[in-house]
């Protein structure tokens, strides 16, 4: 009966029961580099800069329209400093399609408003407008750091980073003490902290003079000394507050990684590493690091932007191939994180269908909510292809679904790729506490996601 059972049942195994010592070492090495990348990539702009630096070291050159392309060439195109596309030209024609992996490098955060500064009761604050889906109560009483750019009227760019360096000050949004929180505590988690109330405290010493708004004046003088900016310059600034914790190992066995921005830089890094490591691919490999996924993939740097089609059309033109032919023969891994089953909150999950930590890369055939609404739903044919490929290449993977039916749901860039007539499937790292200031992933799953993307890139 046991024999029959093992022949007929689908049983999953913990990844650590399936990898050998050599692969365990590879997991650790890979994750060490990923942690360094994540620590230095706190915004989409920083992720793109770091990705370009690493790409150049691996021999990638900036693509210029009209450039001649031959097999083995490595090119990249940066979209306005916020999104990046890389390609390794394959031996086959682009008319046979390419292998695409697409992740996003934006993460939930607190954007400063365009008129953010104000003083009240001799304290100075920045007002914010949050970006992406956050649970607001998680963002108070944690250290925050500031990143971004101030574009001056002259066109000059002023880069701002305050709080990443341990010597630098940080910021915080205060919360009520429990002693006086009786009314607040009766509110729901959604209402206890409001979006309009997420203000960072940034100063308290008044300027040594008479008059009003003396703390604000003192704060602005500090900013003016450091960056040469004034209050009006915030109008054309993109400054974001992100958690000021370093990425770190979690657990006595150090098997997990905690940090801000795993969604979706953990998949972005996996793709990058894979496109750096792929050797003489048969089909052209394309890696996308997109922006604006957390707000719906709209806009010039989002996955719905024609910037991607323009890049691909340029590559196709170099081989006299029609873009639509390339698309219809292409395959895309939409590499985005999925929810990991959390034993502390079993009520939202249907355990058997959910991704588990240490079980490998999570494959989502469909996403969406309320009856799969908004999903691209990969075909059974595509899933069968991945089963074949991953099992052959020793990629540990698992089927994943985001929560119980009618519990909620989510979306990724998958549908925007599929809408282009590209066979697409969601695949990525399972995450706990997704969209929290400190998200949790398992090292083994990070490595397997890299291995999965590399297998797709390398397949002929
Ligand atoms: Mn994501
Ligand atoms: Mn997300």
């Amino acid at each position: 009966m046991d024999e029959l059972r093992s022949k007929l049942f689908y049983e999953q195994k913990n990844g650590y029961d399936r990898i050998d010592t050599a692969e365990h070492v590879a997991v650790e090495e890979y994750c060490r580099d990923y942690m360094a990348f994540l620590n230095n990539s706190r915004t989409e702009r920083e992720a793109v800069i770091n990705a370009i630096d690493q790409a150049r070291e691996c021999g990638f050159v900036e693509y210029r329209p009209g450039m001649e392309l031959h097999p083995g060439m490595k090119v990249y195109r940066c979209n306005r400093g916020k999104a990046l596309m890389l390609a390794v030209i394959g031996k086959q024609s682009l008319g046979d399609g390419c292998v695409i992996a697409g992740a996003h490098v934006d993460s939930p955060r607190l954007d400063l408003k365009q008129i953010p500064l104000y003083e009240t009761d001799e304290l100075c604050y920045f007002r914010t407008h949050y970006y992406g889906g956050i649970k607001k109560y998680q963002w108070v009483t944690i250290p925050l750091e500031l990143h971004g750019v101030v574009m001056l009227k002259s066109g000059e760019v002023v880069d701002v980073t305050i709080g990443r360096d341990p010597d630098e000050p940080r910021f915080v949004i205060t919360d009520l003490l429990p002693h006086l929180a009786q009314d607040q505590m009766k509110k729901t988690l959604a209402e206890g902290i409001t979006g309009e109330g997420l203000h960072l405290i940034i100063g308290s010493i008044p300027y040594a003079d008479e008059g009003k708004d003396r703390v604000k004046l003192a704060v602005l003088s500090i900013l003016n000394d450091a960056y040469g900016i004034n209050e009006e310059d915030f109008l054309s600034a993109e400054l974001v507050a992100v958690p000021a914790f370093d990425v770190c190992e979690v657990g006595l066995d150090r098997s997990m990684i905690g940090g801000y921005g795993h969604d979706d830089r953990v998949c972005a890094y996996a793709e990058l590493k894979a496109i750096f490591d792929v050797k003489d691919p048969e089909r052209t490999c394309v890696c996308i690091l997109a922006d604006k996924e957390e707000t719906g993939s709209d806009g010039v740097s989002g996955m719905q932007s024609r910037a991607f089609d323009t890049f691909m059309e340029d590559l196709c033109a170099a081989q006299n191939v029609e873009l639509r032919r390339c698309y219809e023969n292409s395959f895309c891994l939409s590499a985005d994180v999925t929810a990991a089953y959390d034993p502390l909150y079993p009520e939202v999950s249907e355990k058997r269908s959910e991704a588990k930590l240490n079980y490998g890369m999570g494959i989502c055939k469909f996403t969406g909510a309320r009856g799969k609404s908004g999903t691209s739903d990969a075909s059974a044919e595509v899933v069968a292809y991945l089963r074949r490929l991953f099992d052959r290449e020793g990629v540990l993977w698992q089927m994943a679904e985001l929560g119980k039916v009618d519990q909620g749901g989510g979306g990724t860039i998958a549908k925007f790729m599929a809408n282009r007539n590209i066979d697409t499937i969601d695949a990525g790292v399972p995450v706990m506490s997704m969209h929290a200031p400190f998200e949790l992933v398992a090292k083994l799953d990070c490595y397997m996601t890299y291995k999965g993307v590399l297998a797709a890139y390398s397949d002929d």
Side-chain angles (χ1 to χ4, degrees):
M1 220 164 84
D2 277 353
E3 205 177 302
L4 191 63
R5 207 177 265 124
S6 71
K7 198 173 143 197
L8 298 183
F9 284 4
Y10 171 58
E11 295 296 348
Q12 292 166 279
K13 258 195 188 164
N14 190 300
Y16 281 100
D17 292 328
R18 302 179 62 189
I19 61 170
D20 57 18
T21 317
E23 193 146 50
H24 198 152
V25 170
V27 168
E28 293 296 331
E29 273 174 13
Y30 173 85
C31 287
R32 213 168 304 136
D33 294 342
Y34 165 57
M35 288 170 72
F37 175 82
L38 188 59
N39 249 345
N40 295 319
S41 307
R42 317 292 283 177
T43 64
E44 68 282 353
R45 286 179 191 267
E46 292 175 3
V48 164
I49 289 170
N50 292 332
I52 291 175
D53 281 350
Q54 295 195 9
R56 284 171 161 284
E57 274 176 36
C58 294
F60 282 76
V61 296
E62 189 173 6
Y63 176 77
R64 306 222 175 263
M67 197 182 242
E68 244 181 77
L69 299 171
H70 43 83
M73 255 181 91
K74 301 169 176 183
V75 294
Y76 71 87
R77 185 121 205 231
C78 177
N79 178 9
R80 297 166 173 87
K82 296 179 170 194
L84 184 67
M85 296 160 286
L86 307 100
V88 176
I89 308 301
K91 293 177 205 153
Q92 292 177 18
S93 155
L94 274 161
D96 300 330
C98 55
V99 185
I100 305 167
H104 65 95
V105 285
D106 60 318
S107 298
R109 64 193 188 218
L110 306 176
D111 288 350
L112 295 201
K113 290 194 183 195
Q114 298 326 120
I115 306 180
L117 257 177
Y118 75 96
E119 172 176 340
T120 183
D121 303 289
E122 295 175 283
L123 296 171
C124 194
Y125 292 90
F126 274 144
R127 287 192 178 92
T128 68
H129 193 140
Y130 66 94
Y131 172 97
I134 61 166
K135 291 164 91 175
K136 288 151 210 154
Y137 70 87
Q138 294 177 333
W139 292 72
V140 298
T141 68
I142 59 166
L144 298 166
E145 55 191 45
L146 209 62
H147 292 246
V149 295
V150 181
M151 291 296 304
L152 302 184
K153 207 154 60 170
S154 65
E156 192 192 325
V157 193
V158 180
D159 285 304
V160 175
T161 312
I162 308 171
R164 185 85 292 258
D165 192 320
D167 295 339
E168 289 173 339
R170 277 140 193 212
F171 310 95
V172 73
I173 299 164
T174 54
D175 193 6
L176 267 180
L177 61 170
H179 318 61
L180 296 179
Q182 284 188 50
D183 291 339
Q184 184 199 38
M185 298 290 271
K186 285 181 197 134
K187 294 180 185 170
T188 64
L189 286 177
E191 293 160 341
I193 300 291
T194 64
E196 196 54 67
L198 293 172
H199 297 181
L200 278 66
I201 192 159
I202 58 167
S204 67
I205 302 178
Y207 200 87
D209 203 344
E210 303 284 301
K212 70 188 239 307
D213 286 349
R214 292 191 303 144
V215 179
K216 177 175 158 182
L217 186 61
V219 160
L220 271 168
S221 330
I222 293 170
L223 285 171
N224 189 258
D225 288 346
Y227 299 105
I229 57 174
N230 60 31
E231 190 178 12
E232 195 183 330
D233 293 325
F234 283 99
L235 295 175
S236 52
E238 280 179 0
L239 294 171
V240 309
V242 298
F245 329 121
D246 269 358
V247 179
C248 64
E249 293 178 311
V250 171
L252 291 170
D253 56 9
R254 299 172 179 261
S255 59
M256 296 161 280
I257 306 172
Y260 163 70
H262 284 312
D263 178 8
D264 184 34
R265 294 170 198 140
V266 69
C267 296
Y269 186 75
E271 284 184 12
L272 268 183
K273 239 344 230 164
I275 203 157
F276 295 161
D277 290 352
V278 71
K279 298 270 179 293
D280 304 321
E282 287 296 319
R283 303 166 85 194
T284 294
C285 301
V286 177
C287 166
I288 306 161
L289 308 187
D291 180 31
K292 293 287 175 285
E293 192 278 339
E294 297 295 357
T295 53
S297 296
D298 296 290
V300 76
S301 52
M303 204 58 246
Q304 298 193 67
S305 163
R306 289 297 304 260
F308 173 67
D309 308 289
T310 302
F311 177 65
M312 290 305 300
E313 203 161 346
D314 280 350
L315 299 189
C316 286
Q319 299 183 1
N320 286 319
V321 165
E322 284 179 299
L323 178 67
R324 60 204 177 107
R325 287 290 158 261
C326 174
Y327 277 177
E328 75 176 354
N329 292 319
S330 291
F331 169 66
C332 175
L333 277 179
S334 162
D336 203 345
V337 297
T338 185
Y341 172 75
D342 189 336
L344 297 188
Y345 305 94
E347 63 278 8
V348 302
S349 297
E350 188 269 288
K351 197 171 173 177
R352 179 117 167 103
S353 301
E354 223 118 325
K356 286 175 269 298
L357 291 190
N358 290 331
Y359 277 69
M361 186 183 201
I363 304 293
C364 294
K365 184 179 182 299
F366 57 86
T367 59
R370 300 171 308 280
K372 304 188 179 180
S373 186
T375 183
S376 75
D377 203 351
S379 69
E381 288 85 341
V382 169
V383 181
Y385 164 67
L386 278 192
R387 286 177 62 192
R388 196 159 61 237
L389 175 71
F390 286 175
D391 290 353
R392 189 185 75 206
E393 300 299 325
V395 177
L396 303 189
W397 66 280
Q398 53 185 326
M399 197 48 97
E401 189 172 335
L402 194 73
K404 272 184 183 167
V405 177
D406 287 337
Q407 188 67 45
T412 64
I413 62 159
K415 63 177 171 184
F416 305 116
M417 302 308 287
N419 291 348
R420 289 175 160 109
N421 196 23
I422 299 169
D423 271 318
T424 304
I425 187 162
D426 275 300
V429 177
V431 178
M432 279 192 192
S433 310
M434 197 194 292
H435 285 205
F438 193 75
E439 300 174 314
L440 189 67
V441 295
K443 286 178 175 176
L444 182 137
D445 303 331
C446 299
Y447 174 76
M448 286 300 162
T449 299
Y450 150 73
K451 206 172 162 183
V453 179
L454 184 59
Y457 278 156
S458 308
D459 190 33
D460 46 22

